[in-house]
């Protein structure tokens, strides 16, 4: 298969962590050009990707907000959330009409919050509810199938799958005042929910020369089953059960790539994500959900016929969050993809 065919198909991959959450959740939009294994070549493909994002800018709606202004609202003031993800994806394609991908992330996250505290209208200080955490663990697994046997060109298809609650939901942080506290549900490695994932995609060439390719993808993810989750009790040493349902999300990817070079393929994507507010007795219903849009330049390099490496940098062009949340200045990702 020509490199241009592989690249157009790879660029259709769905984001592995396509969600906005409260500032403490550390989740944001991630572009993934390889994990869904859209290549038409029969066989197995392994993709390993690393993503890094540092949420350290407070925002209310579409505008930045200072820490002191956030503290004056009486709500919890976040300091930062540093996220690092290593995501492994194993894909099988029958080469004719269907394929399936299994995606498993490993999450490394550090977080700090000032709590709900203000002194004389000045900048926030560590106060009641302030804590910090450093956690890591396997996240929720995704199993996504696809069918692309509608057209002879195999240039469009449907996707369908599940996200299963395999990630840990009992991770804790250290209170500044002493003792341990259960992390917010959005900070946990797992959401505790079973989600339905459906999507559709289309790709092709802009001109007969086949130098310029395009792709488009739409995906919807909704929690269809939730479990009770541990939440904070008045005493940090005890917990009680609560419920947490992550907000449903809709993600759209549009992009082009230039395929005239033999080994290098520059890409440019527009990634738009809308996520609804989380719900449940353990959920943050004030500072979750919103709409994000990123412009994402990137490239793919062909190491050999069966191996490609790629990198992307997502740059925010629109951020409209509910409540007060912390957002990243950029999201960086890089990975390697091997067909065997």
């Amino acid at each position: 298969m020509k490199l241009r065919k592989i690249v157009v198909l790879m660029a259709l991959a769905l984001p592995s962590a396509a969600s906005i959450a409260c500032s403490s959740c550390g989740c944001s939009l991630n572009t993934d050009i390889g994990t869904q294994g859209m290549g038409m070549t029969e066989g197995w493909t392994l993709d390993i990707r690393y993503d890094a994002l540092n949420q350290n800018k407070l925002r209310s709606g579409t505008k930045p907000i200072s820490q002191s202004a956030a503290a004056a609202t009486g709500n919890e003031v976040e300091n930062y959330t540093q996220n690092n993800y290593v995501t492994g994806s194993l894909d099988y394609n029958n080469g004719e009409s269907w394929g399936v991908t299994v995606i498993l992330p490993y999450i490394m996250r550090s977080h700090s919050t000032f709590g709900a505290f203000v002194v004389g209208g000045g900048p926030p200080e560590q106060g009641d509810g302030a804590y910090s955490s450093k956690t890591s663990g396997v996240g929720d697994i995704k199993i996504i199938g696809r069918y692309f046997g509608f057209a002879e060109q195999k240039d469009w298809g449907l996707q369908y799958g599940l996200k299963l609650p395999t990630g840990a939901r009992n991770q804790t942080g250290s209170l500044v005042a002493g003792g341990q506290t259960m992390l917010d549900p959005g900070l946990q490695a797992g959401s505790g929910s079973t989600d339905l994932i459906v999507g559709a995609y289309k790709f092709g060439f802009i001109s007969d020369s086949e130098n310029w390719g395009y792709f488009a993808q739409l995906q919807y993810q909704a929690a269809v089953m939730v479990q009770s989750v541990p939440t904070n009790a008045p005493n940090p040493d005890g917990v009680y059960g609560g419920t947490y349902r992550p907000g449903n999300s809709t993600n759209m990817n549009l992009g082009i790539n230039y395929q005239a070079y033999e080994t290098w393929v520059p890409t440019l994507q527009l990634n738009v994500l809308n996520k609804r507010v989380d719900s449940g007795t353990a959920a943050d219903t004030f500072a979750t959900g919103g709409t994000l849009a990123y412009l994402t330049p990137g490239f793919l390099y062909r190491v050999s016929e069966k191996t490609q490496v790629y990198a992307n940098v997502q740059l925010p062009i629109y951020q409209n969050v509910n409540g007060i949340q912390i957002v990243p200045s950029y999201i960086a990702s890089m990975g390697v993809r091997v067909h065997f």
Side-chain angles (χ1 to χ4, degrees), residues 229-313:
V229 297
T231 59
N232 288 321
N235 184 331
D237 295 328
V239 296
Y240 64 86
T243 59
Y244 171 68
R245 179 184 294 273
N248 299 342
S249 63
T250 302
N251 174 243
M252 180 184 69
N253 291 330
L254 302 173
I256 58 174
N257 48 49
Y258 185 67
Q259 303 173 30
Y261 305 124
E262 182 64 25
T263 56
W264 290 91
V265 181
T267 63
L268 183 65
Q269 300 186 41
L270 173 65
N271 313 117
V272 181
L273 172 71
N274 175 264
K275 184 177 182 294
R276 308 300 294 174
V277 175
D278 295 343
S279 61
T281 58
D284 183 346
T285 58
F286 169 73
T288 54
T291 300
L292 299 179
Y294 288 85
L295 191 65
T296 307
F299 71 86
L300 179 141
Y301 178 72
R302 180 188 179 187
V303 178
S304 68
E305 289 294 329
K306 295 187 176 182
T307 304
Q308 299 90 32
V309 295
Y310 58 89
N312 292 277
V313 178

Side-chain angles (χ1 to χ4, degrees), residues 193-225:
S193 67
T194 299
D195 295 6
L196 176 67
I197 302 171
V198 294
Y201 63 88
K202 177 72 170 68
F203 63 88
F205 294 100
I206 297 176
S207 64
D208 293 337
S209 67
E210 296 190 353
N211 287 336
W212 290 95
Y214 74 87
F215 56 90
Q217 171 264 322
L218 186 68
Q219 178 199 23
Y220 180 74
Q221 181 169 329
V224 294
M225 185 181 301

Side-chain angles (χ1 to χ4, degrees), residues 169-180:
R169 297 180 294 122
N170 58 356
Q171 296 172 315
T172 61
S174 299
L175 287 164
V176 173
Q180 296 291 305

Side-chain angles (χ1 to χ4, degrees), residues 9 11 22 25 31 35 41 53 70 79 87 150 152 173 178 180-182 190 216 259 267 269 274 298 305 336 339:
L9 291 163
C22 63
C25 295
T31 300
T35 58
T41 302
L53 61 149
N79 188 9
T87 304
F150 301 103
E152 182 179 355
Q180 296 291 305
T181 183
M182 192 69 64
Q259 303 173 30
T267 63
Q269 300 186 41
N274 175 264
E305 289 294 329
V336 59
H339 180 78

Side-chain angles (χ1 to χ4, degrees), residues 3-311:
L3 175 61
R4 66 186 59 179
K5 297 287 188 181
I6 296 174
V7 174
V8 171
L9 291 163
M10 287 175 62
L12 290 167
L14 298 178
S16 63
S19 61
I20 310 171
C22 63
S23 55
S24 63
C25 295
C27 299
S28 190
L29 177 64
N30 286 272
T31 300
D32 176 9
I33 65 171
T35 58
Q36 297 302 316
M38 292 296 169
M40 289 184 290
T41 302
E42 180 181 1
W44 296 88
T45 302
L46 176 66
D47 185 286
I48 303 294
R49 191 191 72 258
Y50 172 77
D51 298 301
L53 61 149
N54 181 20
Q55 293 172 268
N56 59 2
K57 295 184 178 299
L58 280 170
R59 182 171 291 270
S60 176
T62 60
K63 298 179 179 180
I65 184 173
S66 67
Q67 290 181 338
S68 57
T73 67
N75 294 290
E76 184 180 47
V77 179
E78 306 293 345
N79 188 9
Y80 73 88
T81 304
Q82 175 67 49
N83 303 274
N84 297 277
Y85 304 93
V86 177
T87 304
S89 304
L90 184 62
D91 177 85
Y92 176 75
N93 192 319
N94 78 336
E96 294 294 333
S97 60
W98 65 271
V100 63
T101 308
V102 178
I103 307 167
L104 185 63
Y106 186 84
I107 301 169
M108 296 160 283
R109 178 177 294 138
S110 59
H111 170 72
S112 172
T113 178
F114 291 111
F117 193 76
V118 64
V119 177
E125 299 178 4
Q126 300 282 12
D128 293 341
Y131 70 90
S132 62
S133 64
K134 289 186 177 180
T135 59
S136 61
V138 172
D140 291 340
I141 192 171
K142 290 183 179 180
I143 303 173
I144 301 178
R146 62 190 178 279
Y147 182 79
F148 49 88
F150 301 103
E152 182 179 355
Q153 297 84 0
K154 298 180 175 61
D155 58 355
W156 72 280
L158 300 177
Q159 294 172 313
Y160 41 87
L162 294 173
K163 181 194 72 66
L164 303 176
T166 55
R169 297 180 294 122
N170 58 356
Q171 296 172 315
T172 61
S174 299
L175 287 164
V176 173
Q180 296 291 305
T181 183
M182 192 69 64
L183 299 184
D184 294 340
L187 265 178
Q188 301 289 344
S191 69
S193 67
T194 299
D195 295 6
L196 176 67
I197 302 171
V198 294
Y201 63 88
K202 177 72 170 68
F203 63 88
F205 294 100
I206 297 176
S207 64
D208 293 337
S209 67
E210 296 190 353
N211 287 336
W212 290 95
Y214 74 87
F215 56 90
Q217 171 264 322
L218 186 68
Q219 178 199 23
Y220 180 74
Q221 181 169 329
V224 294
M225 185 181 301
V226 297
Q227 303 174 2
S228 295
V229 297
T231 59
N232 288 321
N235 184 331
D237 295 328
V239 296
Y240 64 86
T243 59
Y244 171 68
R245 179 184 294 273
N248 299 342
S249 63
T250 302
N251 174 243
M252 180 184 69
N253 291 330
L254 302 173
I256 58 174
N257 48 49
Y258 185 67
Q259 303 173 30
Y261 305 124
E262 182 64 25
T263 56
W264 290 91
V265 181
T267 63
L268 183 65
Q269 300 186 41
L270 173 65
N271 313 117
V272 181
L273 172 71
N274 175 264
K275 184 177 182 294
R276 308 300 294 174
V277 175
D278 295 343
S279 61
T281 58
D284 183 346
T285 58
F286 169 73
T288 54
T291 300
L292 299 179
Y294 288 85
L295 191 65
T296 307
F299 71 86
L300 179 141
Y301 178 72
R302 180 188 179 187
V303 178
S304 68
E305 289 294 329
K306 295 187 176 182
T307 304
Q308 299 90 32
V309 295
Y310 58 89

